[in-house]
């Protein structure tokens, strides 16, 4: 099952529940347990995350958990559960520094070695961290280039060649994203705190990978994170201006944590945008389903 489908199913399930369940509330038949990437990136049940980490010895979702820990440490002192999760993940994963991003790699090295200087980096003035900001924006620009890869006349190819081209695009995109995942999360967090109006943050928030996403790679996690930042930073006007470029599940999830008035505004814009064609071109195409969820939030 690809990432768009699991993102849609799990986020809509969480909206129906009205909250993100704690680990002890999950049942074997729960989609959040079968496809846990959304639960992992949204829950605040850190003790439950540690229990899940212990049981997931293969480490499929370690990169997502480490991203959560990094985001937490960037803004506040981590609690004992978070530090325990970090120690477990670091013990079973090898960190690779990339020489093309030496400043970001140095910061990640302090994070992996549990140095106090990691958190202080985020409270420094922009001038001191100009080299970090330049690298962060450069890396996110490279991500945009990877996401915007398109082959000429790909739709005119015969089926076999079309499949080969599509698979090559998918593999290249996933390889870049997984290779630089920790650097990308760090770059986004640095810019959110040190240069919150950076144009590249908005561009990544509104972009789409040109391939079918893996269920645990994390592209949609990063996009959701940046959409939430842009909404917090610019208000409903940001969502209104870009409603056709935002996955409706992401719109709904952001609005569920906000106000009914914002939801009413976005519901009208979303309906006006897609009513003429009668469907949304995504994992869940039913406009009626989305209308029901908009009303659930409004009421």
């Amino acid at each position: 099952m690809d990432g768009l489908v699991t993102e849609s199913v799990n986020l809509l399930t969480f909206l129906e529940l009205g909250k993100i369940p704690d680990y002890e509330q999950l049942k074997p038949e729960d989609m959040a347990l079968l496809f846990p990437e959304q639960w992992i990136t949204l829950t605040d049940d850190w003790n439950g995350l540690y229990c899940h980490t212990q049981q997931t010895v293969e480490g499929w979702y370690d990169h997502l958990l480490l991203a959560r820990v990094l985001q937490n440490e960037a803004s506040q002192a981590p609690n004992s559960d978070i530090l325990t999760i970090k120690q477990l993940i670091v013990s079973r994963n090898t960190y690779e520094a990339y020489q093309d991003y030496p400043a970001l790699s140095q910061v990640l090295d302090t994070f992996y070695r549990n140095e106090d200087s990691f958190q202080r980096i985020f409270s420094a003035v922009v001038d001191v961290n100009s080299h970090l900001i330049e690298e962060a924006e450069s890396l996110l620009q490279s991500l945009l280039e990877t996401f915007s890869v398109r082959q000429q006349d790909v739709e005119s190819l015969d089926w076999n060649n079309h499949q080969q081209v599509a698979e090559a695009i998918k593999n290249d995109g996933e390889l870049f994203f997984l290779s630089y995942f920790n650097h990308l999360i760090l770059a986004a967090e640095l810019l959110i705190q040190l240069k919150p109006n950076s144009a590249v943050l908005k561009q990544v928030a509104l972009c789409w990978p040109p391939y079918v996403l893996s269920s645990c790679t994390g592209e949609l996690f990063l996009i959701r994170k940046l959409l939430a930042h842009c909404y917090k930073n610019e208000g409903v006007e940001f969502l209104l201006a870009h409603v056709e470029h935002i996955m409706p599940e992401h719109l709904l999830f952001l609005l569920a944590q906000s106000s009914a008035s914002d939801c009413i505004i976005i519901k009208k814009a979303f309906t006006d945008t897609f009513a003429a064609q009668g469907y949304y071109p995504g994992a869940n195409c039913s406009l009626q389903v989305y209308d029901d969820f908009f009303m659930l939030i409004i009421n």
Side-chain angles (χ1 to χ4, degrees):
M1 190 177 292
D2 72 68
L4 288 174
V5 175
T6 60
E7 185 90 345
S8 176
V9 169
N10 284 352
L11 292 187
L12 293 182
T13 298
F14 292 153
L15 284 172
E16 284 183 323
L17 293 174
K19 65 174 184 176
I20 309 301
D22 290 339
Y23 184 73
E24 62 182 17
Q25 296 172 308
L26 295 175
K27 303 179 181 65
E29 64 271 19
D30 286 337
M31 292 297 287
L33 191 57
L34 296 173
F35 304 103
E37 57 274 6
Q38 286 74 35
W39 178 79
I40 284 172
T41 56
L42 291 168
T43 184
D44 290 322
D45 178 16
W46 289 98
N47 183 260
L49 281 171
Y50 177 63
C51 294
H52 173 81
T53 307
Q54 286 182 304
Q55 295 179 14
T56 315
V57 293
E58 68 274 14
W60 280 7
Y61 302 100
D62 279 5
H63 63 300
L64 296 179
L65 282 163
L66 200 64
R68 292 288 315 274
V69 174
L70 189 154
Q71 290 174 349
N72 183 277
E73 278 198 33
S75 58
Q76 58 190 298
N79 62 39
S80 58
D81 286 330
I82 296 174
L83 287 176
T84 304
I85 291 172
K86 178 180 178 180
Q87 291 165 1
L88 177 59
I89 297 174
V90 169
S91 70
R92 67 189 193 192
N93 288 273
T94 302
Y95 164 64
E96 292 185 32
Y98 286 89
Q99 297 305 313
D100 43 351
Y101 297 101
L104 289 173
S105 294
Q106 185 177 1
V107 177
L108 277 177
D109 187 54
T110 67
F111 169 73
Y112 270 80
R113 288 190 283 113
N114 281 326
E115 292 187 4
D116 293 339
S117 57
F118 175 75
Q119 189 174 345
R120 290 201 301 271
I121 290 168
F122 291 84
S123 61
V125 295
V126 174
D127 289 343
V128 175
N129 288 302
S130 59
H131 58 298
L132 274 174
I133 291 174
E134 289 171 4
E135 278 195 11
E137 291 186 319
S138 175
L139 178 58
L140 291 180
Q141 286 290 352
S142 295
L143 177 64
L144 286 174
E145 293 171 11
T146 302
F147 277 1
S148 64
V149 169
R150 295 289 189 275
Q151 296 291 333
Q152 292 290 332
D153 302 319
V154 64
E155 297 302 327
S156 65
L157 297 174
D158 63 75
W159 176 252
N160 288 334
N161 286 327
H162 180 278
Q163 289 296 95
Q164 291 178 1
V165 169
E167 188 66 20
I169 293 173
K170 175 179 182 290
N171 290 340
D172 290 345
E174 288 186 348
L175 178 62
F176 177 89
F177 198 85
L178 283 174
S179 296
Y180 288 99
F181 185 79
N182 289 335
H183 287 71
L184 288 164
I185 295 297
L186 175 61
E189 199 63 42
L190 280 165
L191 292 176
I192 285 172
Q193 296 201 32
L194 299 177
K195 194 176 179 181
N197 292 315
S198 175
V200 74
L201 290 177
K202 302 176 189 178
Q203 293 167 344
V204 174
L206 297 169
C207 72
W208 284 97
Y211 53 85
V212 177
L213 300 94
S214 293
S215 61
C216 62
T217 303
E219 299 98 322
L220 293 175
F221 162 56
L222 177 61
I223 289 171
R224 272 191 283 118
K225 168 74 175 177
L226 295 184
L227 282 172
H229 163 71
C230 292
Y231 180 35
K232 179 180 179 180
N233 203 38
E234 298 188 22
V236 72
E237 290 77 13
F238 176 83
L239 302 182
L240 193 61
H242 304 289
V243 66
E244 73 275 16
H245 300 300
I246 303 174
M247 188 173 173
E249 286 80 359
H250 288 171
L251 282 173
L252 289 162
F253 209 80
L254 291 175
L255 293 166
Q257 303 167 62
S258 183
S259 65
S261 59
D262 280 4
C263 191
I264 292 170
I265 293 170
I266 298 302
K267 177 182 182 297
K268 182 179 186 308
F270 178 82
T271 301
D272 291 347
T273 300
F274 297 105
Q277 67 189 44
Y279 66 95
Y280 171 77
N284 181 355
C285 64
S286 171
L287 295 185
Q288 184 58 54
V289 167
Y290 293 128
D291 184 80
D292 292 343
F293 275 98
F294 274 115
M295 294 307 300
L296 176 67
I297 295 171
I298 291 170
N299 292 329

